[in-house]
Amino acid sequence: MTRARRSVAGGRSKRRPAVTEDQELLDSDHNNGAWIHTDPWRVLRIQAEFVDGFGALAELGPAISVFGSARTDPDDPYFQLGQSVATGLVNAGFAVITGGGPGIMEAANKGAFKAGGVSVGLDVELPQETGLNDFVNLGINFRYFFVRKTMFVKYSQGFVVLPGGYGTLDELFEALTLVQTGKVSASPVVLMGVAYWAGLFDWLHERVAADGNIALTDVNLMTLTDDVGVAVQIMADAQSASSL
């Protein structure tokens, strides 16, 4: 399968700038007044990223986003789990969307690519990462995190979350918040890695829900499993239900 990468707002090399576009946009130091002249033009660049992202993914079809750490080594069992679940998703008729980077993202793209499926990478400009992995056959480069996040949510029918750090937790809780508040249609969220996530589940039950800050039904928006078949079946069942 050949790669057909598309770069939003023009191609860029893998060399990342010391200061990203996100940082420049969100920097609170506006004392010199330069933002008055630069930010209105930046809005047009943001608009272009949305338009190009929508155009690139509009005909993607059913897809599942797979999130997880960029730091996971290929010999880690979670890397193998990410590859396996992506293969299962492709065999069930889904495209697979990741952040396009290394680690779990590369594992999922590899599983989708080798299974002959659509392997999507939504790359974002970060100083410490090096662009799309070699198993992406539809790749898009973004400057802005919030544009990229919109693409994950808009074009995914569900989310599979493997062990990760701050970025993974951010993606997990953003998906949960949007489902909880009804901002997106009910989308299944599956956490894979029982040993890794069990403490989070316990804390949500025993502290957050017990204190009344969420309902127990909110915890039940997630399914915790190590079983690839279970994860894939949850996604397939949700897709079947949505098409009734």
Side-chain angles (χ1 to χ4, degrees):
M1 189 178 214
T2 58
R3 294 186 294 171
R5 294 184 177 175
R6 177 170 180 172
S7 177
V8 167
R12 296 193 304 282
S13 71
K14 289 187 175 184
R15 183 182 179 126
R16 300 306 174 105
V19 178
T20 66
E21 296 281 352
D22 267 325
Q23 184 177 349
E24 289 186 352
L25 173 65
L26 300 173
D27 192 344
S28 61
D29 184 11
H30 288 154
N31 293 334
N32 61 11
W35 64 273
I36 296 174
H37 306 289
T38 58
D39 281 359
W41 290 106
R42 192 167 283 130
V43 169
L44 297 179
R45 181 178 290 172
I46 292 167
Q47 178 180 323
E49 287 208 353
F50 275 115
V51 170
D52 284 351
F54 292 156
L57 298 172
E59 298 179 356
L60 181 62
I64 304 298
S65 284
V66 179
F67 300 132
S69 176
R71 305 183 185 190
T72 304
D73 293 329
D75 58 353
D76 190 297
Y78 288 130
F79 188 100
Q80 305 305 318
L81 187 61
Q83 184 173 339
S84 295
V85 74
T87 297
L89 290 168
V90 167
N91 291 337
F94 293 101
V96 171
I97 306 174
T98 80
I104 296 295
M105 295 174 282
E106 180 175 344
N109 287 133
K110 183 177 181 179
F113 183 89
K114 288 187 172 293
V118 180
S119 176
V120 182
L122 306 182
D123 183 38
V124 69
E125 186 179 78
L126 291 173
Q128 71 271 29
E129 293 187 11
T130 57
L132 292 163
N133 65 66
D134 291 334
F135 299 100
V136 169
N137 53 36
L138 175 57
I140 309 174
N141 303 110
F142 294 97
R143 291 182 173 91
Y144 299 100
F145 255 120
F146 57 90
V147 180
R148 179 196 193 220
K149 285 183 175 183
T150 299
M151 303 303 153
F152 276 125
V153 173
K154 181 173 176 61
Y155 294 103
S156 297
Q157 280 68 56
F159 306 92
V160 175
V161 187
L162 283 94
Y166 283 161
T168 303
L169 291 168
D170 176 56
E171 290 158 343
L172 167 62
F173 281 105
E174 177 151 17
L176 287 172
T177 300
L178 291 170
V179 174
Q180 178 204 43
T181 56
K183 294 295 185 181
V184 297
S185 301
S187 298
V189 179
V190 173
L191 272 63
M192 302 197 73
V194 172
Y196 190 87
W197 295 113
L200 174 64
F201 264 69
D202 291 343
W203 178 70
L204 290 172
H205 275 287
E206 298 168 10
R207 172 58 66 187
V208 185
D211 285 359
N213 292 317
I214 59 173
L216 283 174
T217 53
D218 295 329
V219 183
N220 295 334
L221 294 173
M222 297 179 286
T223 300
L224 180 60
T225 185
D226 284 326
D227 190 318
V228 168
V230 169
V232 173
Q233 192 62 54
I234 287 171
M235 299 300 160
D237 289 346
Q239 176 65 16
S240 295
S242 68
S243 54
L244 292 178

